[in-house]
Amino acid sequence: MELDWSKKWNIYSPNKPAVVEVDTGRTFTFKKLNDYAEKIGIYLLAEGIKKGDRIGVLSAFCAEYVALFFAAQKAGFVLVPLNYRLAPREIAYIVSNAECSLVFVSNEYNQLWNQAGISLVHKPIEGLFDLQIAGTTDLKYSTHLSEDDPIFILYTSGTTGAPKGALYTHKMLFWNSVNTALRLKVHSDDSTLIVTPPFHTGGWNVLLTPLLHFGGSVYLMKKFDPEMCLEVLVERNITLFMLVPTMVRMLAETNKFKEATFTHLKYFIVGGEPLPIPLIQIWAEKGVPIRQGYGLTECGPNITSLPEDDAIRKRGSIGFVNFYVEYKLVDGEGNTVNGKGTGELWLKGPIVTPGFWKNDEATRSSISEGWFKTGDILRRDEEGYLYVVDRIKNMYISGGENVYPAEVEKYILTHEAVAEVAVIGVPDEKWGETGKAFISLKPGYTLDYPALKAFCEKGLAKYKIPKHLVILESLPKSDTGKIDRKKLKTM
């Protein structure tokens, strides 16, 4: 298995643009990035950084960050992407937990780094291409780099305590890329725009690393700006684009959307919540199909994909699992669900993490005989299509009945006044728990609780109907644009 991708593309297509920074206009060919990656790797080895050592990075996506990734492929360094939206205390925890030997910090986040109070060597990522190598340049990379060695430690949000660092190996990187190419028809003529941040696996591994593996071109945008994003999609002839549902809606609301033509765009790859059918149809009229899918930090992340032809017929489905992925649904008693039915999704294959960094307990509780327990409840229909019902942790019990908020939310979203909705379980003296709905409204509409209740009674079982309603101007979002349920629970 070839682990050094830039070395190969430096031979095959040295002058082809590999990375283009939208914000600065800087363009880097595969040859230029490979040369920089070689230099960075030698520099770090000369500085005493060894295979397996962790290197933290506090930066948005930039060409230097991608070159550092290629250097890690060559020399076996392990990158620890740091979330620049965290509090200083949280960043300090991750740097300490990962036992980073060095951290590269963007000038943009120097103040945040200083506030974290970390007594560790850090260097500006902007200077990576100007590094001066002291002493010998005859240092050699490790010849013992294995596909099972990690290339990332990706920290997941600490919803149940401190963040956990999922090990992401070279093998996972390779097979995720192959799975992506097989299902999304990725090849060297493709290009993508990256607007998702580097501290999530989606930023790196939904399209960026698969495109680089297959010799495509990657455009980097530091922050999602709907108007600029639309402009790049049209003018740069982007062929593949991954985004979350909120972004799909925001793009359709831009001033230039009506006049825009997307002659090269094959489709959108959308993760997270299912898209409303009207929004799917709006983009279909522009000739842009929607491919919805499912993934997670610890596996893949590209696990399933729904063929674009099924976007409306199977609305809400995440499709089928990708090529080199095994899966099963497991019920509450630990039995495998056969045929049509519902259960927790378990995954197996070369795309599954070997475990969590310095957290044997989390590894043991998540992995059983090679099967990774996702914590997601899925439903399989009579045709074999999969649907996410909800996270196990989001479920609440009302009057002895399991309630999955995602199911309630899907129904409420069909109300003409509702733009966004999230339902959480809250304590209730009579029923144990009951639902509380947080809703943002479309312009010009109003909604009170009696009207919401009357609407829900037409399509939901009585125990599923929320007992409380809160109207917000907009729902709080996480770093990836998904509704932030943790914040809602504090309201």
Side-chain angles (χ1 to χ4, degrees), residues 225-286:
D225 178 294
E227 299 283 351
M228 183 182 293
C229 184
L230 192 76
E231 186 177 309
V232 173
L233 292 174
V234 172
E235 295 184 1
R236 301 301 184 102
N237 296 328
I238 301 298
T239 63
L240 299 169
F241 185 42
M242 178 268 181
L243 65 173
V244 297
T246 303
M247 296 176 182
V248 179
R249 175 179 53 81
M250 292 173 71
L251 284 173
E253 293 172 350
T254 56
N255 295 326
K256 297 180 180 179
F257 177 74
K258 287 184 178 180
E259 292 75 32
T261 56
F262 306 91
T263 54
H264 291 79
L265 195 57
K266 296 178 182 177
Y267 36 67
F268 283 163
I269 297 97
V270 180
E273 303 86 9
L275 283 176
I277 288 180
L279 193 54
I280 295 174
Q281 290 172 330
I282 286 173
W283 282 98
E285 290 169 5
K286 282 288 188 181

Side-chain angles (χ1 to χ4, degrees), residues 386-408:
L386 295 170
Y387 298 76
V388 176
V389 176
D390 210 341
R391 292 285 294 167
I392 289 176
K393 65 185 179 185
N394 289 341
M395 183 195 81
Y396 62 90
I397 300 175
S398 185
E401 298 284 354
N402 293 346
V403 180
Y404 294 101
E407 178 189 7
V408 180

Side-chain angles (χ1 to χ4, degrees), residues 176-186 205-207 210 302:
N176 175 70
S177 176
V178 171
N179 276 333
T180 305
L182 283 170
R183 294 302 302 281
L184 301 183
K185 307 178 184 70
V186 174
N205 299 315
V206 170
L207 282 177
N302 299 332

